[in-house]
């Protein structure tokens, strides 16, 4: 919410500086995000009138203007603005003036013609970014007046970040109530003037969706003249609140939006056929909106319609077909209350977010509509003239909110806030908030005002007391707690250990949404029907992830598209997998590498990361379990991964996860130029560790034997190693695969695998015969199981 400080001070004017006011409302829960001046720093700019404008003799795009600067002074200005014309009143920066950016105005010659100052555009004064000519001022602007005084530019715009529960402060009225309460001042609201009815023209209202729109008001105003400009005071107030002036009808509705927080809309009455119908949209019904977007509505969407079709997307945006324009002479003003819950998410589902939907979704005062209608009518008649008809109101009292009274116990104040607040102060604060308060035996009975949707329970009133009384005035007490150190079981690898290990191996941790793109989710897990969100924040976050890679791939894609030559990411989090027993939420670890293996360096040749690099990183994690031998990699296949470059990680009979290279089709879909290697592991299975056990260091020497065996290419090295460990006997201390050879001297269908076996005993020195016996057992087993041959 952005508002003008001067506008607020018209309602309530505390004896506080701008900075002190900002601090005060921040401490009351309305956090100030920014305080900015409404205009740039400038001096020496006055209101002037062009009395003559002729073509420059030597330049087609320049005009020589004679300008009345007031007090009988006339100056000559050379101006290039296309709208410079006789009779126009506009800002004049006289010689010696200083404009934003420390730009000093001096007398100069342009194409041989003397210019004694500068006629200013809004952008040159820091009023806006528009650069479509010099600023046009109203015809009654007093010539010679200082522009800062005329437009009251010694003002600031204050932007506050409101939490969703404080929709009552989405208008000047609500903020003024807060400031008045905090400073114990009365609020000077505009008078409630009931406008005289000067025409009997009216429209009927058929409320067919009363549960979603319990109150709807409309009024016909005939004979309006929209060629009349919006007064400069209203344009300036809107500008300072971040709203662009369009025409008087739209500006007045926007003015009410900011003044009271009540969204309104103006229809062109001549474009309405029959009466107004508030109903749900028919399936497939389309509507062209004011932003030129055409939406296809359906069941669940509420529309304001006439007897031929929809006129507006209720509570969100008006339709282009019934919009007011230059030729409009009869308008229909709308002021309604829409229930927040049914409207929530409607705008977002069409990629929309409007000031109207922002307020209605959070809650609007359901007793405000008639007052807003009278106020808007008063302003319209004052600006564009016309005759006002009677207000037509359709209301369903049973569907309007009915806030229940809240009981506040005096004893709870001291217990929960830690401070004793006397009864008079409690009642003053609660009445200042807007509640009707009556004293009861143990506290107070409070009736909630129509504009405070967020007050429902006793704790809400305690919060109001705390913030108005002042958080800084609450006593500070030390928190006492029995600190119990949690046990850290050694049979589990902690998640922090895994994270540190990956960071040490040059990975970056990513934190992605649990909601992912349905298309990439389908590619990764085609057999899983993911949980779809009812109100996704965007199409890219439409379903719950069943694989962490869905988000990690998008993160990698984002980095690669920004010229990152090397991406190494990991993420830990929950995966959401539907099953026969309901939704399973399992913690997982995903890893991804693409691009260069290491940072560019003269010390080693550059190459891209591959399958084995990521496999090595996974094996480093397995070392943390203290039980590497219980894990094994097996060749396999998986959706979205390259066949022949995919493996499963097993632990006993359980599948811990998988590793593989992204399939070329998926790689192309995601715009990766280089191969992407990914892995996803189940944390519960991965983190099970072996408790460390003491083993004495042998004092006796170790014996090593190296053997090379020739086996079929299809034989997996892991199976060979497992077979050797099973048959080498109890003296085997270490087993290493140090060479794999294919080529000259070897059958093309076979390969040579070289193994290093280290034997040692803790009680004595082993002799050659014992070691040779163990080696022979290994060789015999390899021959029997894999038709292995010793390589000479």
């Amino acid at each position: 919410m952005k508002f003008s400080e001067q506008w607020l001070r018209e309602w309530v004017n505390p004896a506080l500086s701008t900075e002190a006011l900002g601090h005060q409302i921040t401490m009351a829960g309305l956090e100030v995000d920014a305080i900015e001046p409404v205009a740039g720093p400038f001096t020496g700019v006055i209101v002037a009138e062009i009395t003559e404008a002729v073509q420059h003799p030597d330049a087609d795009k320049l005009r020589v203007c004679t300008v009345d600067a007031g007090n009988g002074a006339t100056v000559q200005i050379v101006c290039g603005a296309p709208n410079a014309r006789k009779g126009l009143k506009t800002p004049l920066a006289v010689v010696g003036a200083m404009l934003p950016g420390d730009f000093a105005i001096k007398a100069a010659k342009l194409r041989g013609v003397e210019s004694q100052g500068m006629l200013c555009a809004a952008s040159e004064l820091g009023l806006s970014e528009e650069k479509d000519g010099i600023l046009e001022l109203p015809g009654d602007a007093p010539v010679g007046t200082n522009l800062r005084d005329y437009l009251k530019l010694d003002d600031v715009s204050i932007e506050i970040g409101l939490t969703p529960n404080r929709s009552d402060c989405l208008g000047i009225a609500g903020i003024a109530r807060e400031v008045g309460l905090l400073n114990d001042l009365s609020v000077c609201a505009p008078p409630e003037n009931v406008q005289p009815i000067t025409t009997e023209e009216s429209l009927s209202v058929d409320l067919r969706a009363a549960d979603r729109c319990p109150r709807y008001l409309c009024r016909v105003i005939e004979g309006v003249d929209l060629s009349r400009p919006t007064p400069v005071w209203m344009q300036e107030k809107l500008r300072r609140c971040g709203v662009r002036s369009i025409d008087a009808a739209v500006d007045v509705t926007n003015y009410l939006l900011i003044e009271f927080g009540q969204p309104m809309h103006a229809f062109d009455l001549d474009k309405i056929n029959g009466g107004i119908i508030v109903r749900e949209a028919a399936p497939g019904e389309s509507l062209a909106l004011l932003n030129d977007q055409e939406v296809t509505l359906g069941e669940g969407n509420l529309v304001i319609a006439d007897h031929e079709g929809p006129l507006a997307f209720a509570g969100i945006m008006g339709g282009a077909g019934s919009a007011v324009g230059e030729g409009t002479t009869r308008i229909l003003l709308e002021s309604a209350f829409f229930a927040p819950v049914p409207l929530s998410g409607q705008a977002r589902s069409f990629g929309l977010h409007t000031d109207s939907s922002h307020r209605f979704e959070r809650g609007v005062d359901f007793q405000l509509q008639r007052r807003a209608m009278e106020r808007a009518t008063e302003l319209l008649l004052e600006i564009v003239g016309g005759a006002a008809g009677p207000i037509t109101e359709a209301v369903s009292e049973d569907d309007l909110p009915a806030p229940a009274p809240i009981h506040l116990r005096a004893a709870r104040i001291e217990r929960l806030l830690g401070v004793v607040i006397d009864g008079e102060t409690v009642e003053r604060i609660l009445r200042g908030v807007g509640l009707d308060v009556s004293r009861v035996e143990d506290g107070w009975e409070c009736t909630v005002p129509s504009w405070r949707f967020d007050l429902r329970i006793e704790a809400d009133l305690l919060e109001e007391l705390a913030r108005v009384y002042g958080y800084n005035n609450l006593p500070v007490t030390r928190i006492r707690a029995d600190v119990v150190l949690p046990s850290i079981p050694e049979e589990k690898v902690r998640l922090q250990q895994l994270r540190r290990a990956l960071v040490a191996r040059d990975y970056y941790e990513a934190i992605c949404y649990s909601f992912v793109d349905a298309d990439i989710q389908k590619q990764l897990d085609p057999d899983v029907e993911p949980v779809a969100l009812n109100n996704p924040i965007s199409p890219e976050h439409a379903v719950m992830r069943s694989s962490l890679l869905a988000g990690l791939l998008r993160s990698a894609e984002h980095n690669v598209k920004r010229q990152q030559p090397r991406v190494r990411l990991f993420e830990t989090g929950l995966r959401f997998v539907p099953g026969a027993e309901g939704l399973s939420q399992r913690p997982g670890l995903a890893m991804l590498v693409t691009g260069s293996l290491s940072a560019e360096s003269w010390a080693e040749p550059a190459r891209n990361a591959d399958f084995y690099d990521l496999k090595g990183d996974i094996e480093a994690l397995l070392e943390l379990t203290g039980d590497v031998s219980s894990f094994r990699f097996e060749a396999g296949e998986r959706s979205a991964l390259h066949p022949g470059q995919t493996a499963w990680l097993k632990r006993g009979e359980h599948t811990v996860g998988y590793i593989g290279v992204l399939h070329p089709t998926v790689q192309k879909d995601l715009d990766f130029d280089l191969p992407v290697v990914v892995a996803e592991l189940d944390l519960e299975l991965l983190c099970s560790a072996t408790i460390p056990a003491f083993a004495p260091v042998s004092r006796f020497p170790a014996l090593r034997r190296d053997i090379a065996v020739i086996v079929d290419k299809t034989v997996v090295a892991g199976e060979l190693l497992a077979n050797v460990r099973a048959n080498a006997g109890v003296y085997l201390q270490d087993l290493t695969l140090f060479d794999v050879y294919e080529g000259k001297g070897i059958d093309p269908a076979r390969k040579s695998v070289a193994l290093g076996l280290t034997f040692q005993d803790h009680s004595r020195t082993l002799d050659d015969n014992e070691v040779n016996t163990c080696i022979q057992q290994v060789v015999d087993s390899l021959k029997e199981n894999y038709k292995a041959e010793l390589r000479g």
Side-chain angles (χ1 to χ4, degrees):
M1 172 67 186
K2 190 175 183 181
F3 63 92
S4 158
E5 181 187 6
Q6 284 184 1
W7 194 356
L8 174 65
R9 289 185 183 274
E10 291 175 10
W11 286 65
V12 58
N13 190 12
L16 297 173
S17 66
T18 300
E19 291 71 20
L21 176 63
H23 177 73
Q24 183 184 64
I25 61 179
T26 293
M27 294 306 296
L30 313 181
E31 183 180 2
V32 173
D33 290 336
I35 299 177
E36 299 175 345
V38 300
F42 62 82
T43 58
V45 181
I46 62 173
V47 177
E49 182 178 2
I50 301 174
T51 57
E52 186 179 5
V54 298
Q55 187 67 44
H56 191 290
D58 295 322
D60 294 338
K61 295 184 178 181
L62 297 179
R63 290 179 177 83
V64 180
C65 301
T66 302
V67 179
D68 180 4
N71 297 323
T74 301
V75 295
Q76 179 176 278
I77 306 292
V78 178
C79 179
N83 62 333
R85 62 187 183 276
K86 181 179 179 180
L88 176 66
K89 290 187 177 179
T90 187
L92 167 65
V94 300
V95 174
M98 188 69 70
L99 298 187
D102 295 331
F103 180 64
I105 301 299
K106 302 176 182 178
K109 284 188 177 182
L110 296 178
R111 295 288 184 94
V113 177
E114 187 174 353
S115 182
Q116 300 170 321
M118 185 175 81
L119 301 179
C120 301
S123 60
E124 293 165 335
L125 300 175
L127 299 177
S128 74
E129 296 181 358
E130 296 181 3
K131 300 179 180 180
D132 53 354
I134 55 177
L135 178 63
E136 299 191 14
L137 299 175
D140 59 357
V143 174
T145 304
N146 185 296
L147 185 72
R148 298 195 75 91
D149 296 335
Y150 172 65
L151 295 179
K152 298 180 181 179
L153 295 178
D154 293 324
D155 185 16
V156 296
S157 290
I158 301 176
E159 186 171 1
I160 56 177
L162 294 173
T163 51
N165 63 312
R166 292 309 308 271
S167 60
D168 61 298
C169 290
L170 286 169
I172 295 291
I175 301 170
R177 278 193 298 263
E178 288 289 307
V179 174
L181 171 61
L182 297 172
N183 295 280
D184 200 17
L185 296 173
S186 59
V187 176
C188 301
E192 299 183 36
N193 298 324
V194 177
Q195 299 305 300
I197 298 172
T198 53
T199 177
E200 295 303 317
E201 185 71 24
S202 65
L203 255 66
S204 63
V205 176
D206 184 2
L207 209 57
R208 297 183 184 175
D211 59 327
R212 304 184 60 180
C213 178
R215 172 172 280 137
Y216 187 93
L217 286 75
C218 65
R219 162 179 268 172
V220 172
I221 302 179
E222 296 184 306
V224 300
D225 181 7
L226 294 186
S227 64
R228 297 184 190 179
T230 302
V232 68
W233 62 265
M234 182 178 287
Q235 290 188 40
E236 274 297 297
K237 283 184 174 180
L238 292 176
R239 180 184 70 83
R240 296 172 197 190
C241 297
V243 179
R244 183 171 59 90
S245 175
I246 298 174
D247 60 46
V250 176
D251 289 351
V252 165
T253 58
N254 284 334
Y255 188 86
L256 266 295
L257 176 86
I258 298 170
E259 186 175 53
F260 287 125
Q262 171 65 48
M264 299 184 69
H265 187 65
F267 298 97
D268 187 329
L269 184 61
D270 292 328
K271 298 175 182 177
I272 298 177
N273 298 287
I276 293 295
I277 305 172
V278 183
R279 60 172 175 81
E280 287 194 3
E285 199 166 29
S286 63
L287 174 65
L289 301 176
L290 288 172
N291 64 351
D292 297 327
Q293 178 180 345
E294 184 156 345
V295 294
T296 301
L297 306 173
E299 191 174 347
N301 299 134
L302 192 68
V303 296
I304 309 301
D306 60 12
H307 287 81
E308 290 192 358
L311 302 172
F313 195 171
I316 297 172
M317 187 179 290
S322 57
V324 297
E326 292 181 0
T328 300
T329 59
R330 301 195 306 158
I331 64 175
L332 180 72
L333 269 183
E334 168 196 273
S335 181
F337 170 74
F338 298 103
V341 174
L343 192 69
S344 180
Q346 294 277 317
R348 192 163 56 247
S349 64
F350 290 91
L352 299 170
H353 182 269
T354 65
D355 290 331
S356 178
S357 67
H358 185 81
R359 286 162 173 78
F360 280 129
E361 286 181 354
R362 287 157 175 76
V364 170
D365 183 354
F366 58 88
Q367 300 288 0
L368 182 62
Q369 288 69 46
R370 181 171 286 271
R371 184 183 181 188
M373 179 66 78
E374 296 287 7
R375 174 70 168 153
T377 304
E378 178 184 14
L379 292 171
L380 273 172
L381 295 179
E382 178 185 322
I383 297 170
V384 297
I391 296 177
T392 303
E393 179 176 9
V395 60
S396 172
E397 295 289 348
D398 293 339
D399 292 301
L400 285 172
I406 303 175
H407 182 63
L408 175 62
R409 293 165 288 179
R412 299 287 287 179
I413 297 175
E414 182 179 3
R415 179 180 175 184
L416 295 183
L417 300 186
V419 65
V420 176
I421 304 178
D422 63 87
E424 289 185 2
T425 302
V426 171
E427 292 179 14
R428 178 185 64 81
I429 291 175
L430 295 179
R431 288 195 176 99
V433 170
L435 285 78
D436 289 331
V437 182
S438 58
R439 196 72 187 251
V440 294
E441 183 178 352
D442 62 342
W444 298 268
E445 197 76 17
C446 305
T447 303
V448 179
S450 57
W451 60 83
R452 287 305 297 268
F453 278 76
D454 58 314
L455 302 182
R456 298 177 181 175
I457 59 176
E458 184 182 37
D460 296 330
L461 300 188
L462 291 170
E463 182 184 357
E464 293 298 297
L465 289 175
R467 70 179 189 83
V468 178
Y469 184 77
Y471 293 120
N472 290 338
N473 296 324
L474 299 179
V476 177
T477 55
R478 295 181 182 274
I479 297 176
R480 296 177 58 86
D482 295 328
V483 179
V484 179
L485 294 176
S487 61
I488 302 177
E490 291 185 271
E491 67 269 13
K492 288 289 184 182
V493 178
R494 288 176 294 153
L495 182 59
Q496 187 179 28
Q497 292 177 274
L498 297 176
R499 286 173 171 160
R500 286 177 175 173
L502 289 170
V503 170
R505 299 183 75 83
D506 211 15
Y507 281 81
Y508 286 88
E509 183 172 10
I511 301 176
C512 304
Y513 283 105
S514 295
F515 322 131
V516 297
D517 190 327
D519 292 336
I520 191 170
Q521 174 66 50
K522 189 69 174 177
Q523 288 180 307
L524 292 171
D525 279 331
D527 299 329
V528 174
E529 187 63 35
V531 178
L533 301 182
N534 289 333
N535 295 302
I537 56 178
S538 72
E540 290 76 26
H541 301 89
V543 298
M544 301 293 287
R545 66 188 180 191
S546 64
S547 169
L548 295 177
L549 290 177
L552 210 57
L553 284 167
R554 286 298 187 196
S555 297
E557 178 191 14
H558 180 86
N559 282 273
V560 169
K561 286 183 176 179
R562 282 151 184 81
Q563 291 79 49
Q564 293 298 318
R566 180 172 177 265
V567 178
R568 298 171 66 84
L569 299 174
F570 78 93
E571 181 182 13
T572 60
L574 292 176
R575 298 163 294 167
F576 305 88
V577 185
E581 299 179 358
L583 186 67
S584 171
Q585 302 183 47
R586 293 189 64 86
L589 164 67
M591 302 166 63
L592 180 149
V593 295
T594 186
S596 303
L597 174 63
S598 56
E600 186 176 2
S601 170
W602 59 269
E604 56 183 317
R607 71 173 180 85
N608 293 326
D610 60 21
F611 176 94
Y612 294 102
D613 295 314
L614 183 57
K615 179 174 178 285
D617 294 331
I618 293 175
E619 289 172 340
L621 298 181
L622 302 183
E623 291 284 352
L624 299 176
T625 68
D627 190 20
V628 179
S629 60
S630 66
F631 294 90
R632 69 185 186 278
F633 288 93
E634 293 182 1
E637 293 185 2
R638 196 181 192 282
S639 177
L641 299 185
H642 200 303
Q645 299 185 49
T646 302
W648 296 99
L649 177 61
K650 299 288 186 73
R651 190 174 198 178
E653 298 301 319
H654 300 288
T655 300
V656 178
Y658 59 87
I659 175 177
V661 179
L662 207 62
H663 194 282
T665 303
V666 181
Q667 177 184 324
K668 182 179 179 181
D669 290 343
L670 295 176
D671 291 333
F672 287 111
D673 294 328
L674 297 174
V676 181
V677 191
V678 298
E680 187 166 21
L681 310 176
D682 188 304
L683 278 178
E684 291 183 359
L685 296 174
L686 175 65
C687 290
S688 178
T690 299
I691 297 178
F694 171 76
V697 177
S698 176
R699 296 177 298 165
F700 301 97
L703 295 176
R704 171 165 169 156
R705 295 287 188 270
D706 292 344
I707 62 172
V709 293
I710 298 175
V711 296
D712 291 342
K713 284 185 176 181
T714 57
V715 175
V716 179
E719 294 183 15
L720 283 179
L721 295 176
N723 185 277
V724 171
R725 289 191 185 96
N727 292 279
V730 295
Y731 300 133
L732 181 68
Q733 295 296 311
D734 188 33
L735 174 61
T736 304
L737 188 156
F738 63 86
D739 184 51
V740 177
Y741 174 74
E742 299 176 17
K744 186 177 180 180
I746 302 293
D747 187 335
R750 312 198 82 191
K751 61 184 177 183
S752 170
V753 179
L755 306 173
L757 295 82
T758 302
F759 298 90
Q760 190 178 35
D761 187 44
H762 291 283
S763 61
R764 59 190 177 85
T765 299
L766 297 176
D767 58 37
D768 287 341
N769 290 332
E770 292 173 306
V771 172
N772 290 339
T773 300
C774 293
I775 292 293
Q776 190 60 47
Q777 291 175 189
V778 168
V779 172
D780 291 343
S781 177
L782 293 178
K783 285 181 179 180
E784 180 180 349
N785 293 289
Y786 301 102
K787 299 179 180 179
E789 299 176 4
L790 276 177
R791 183 181 174 193

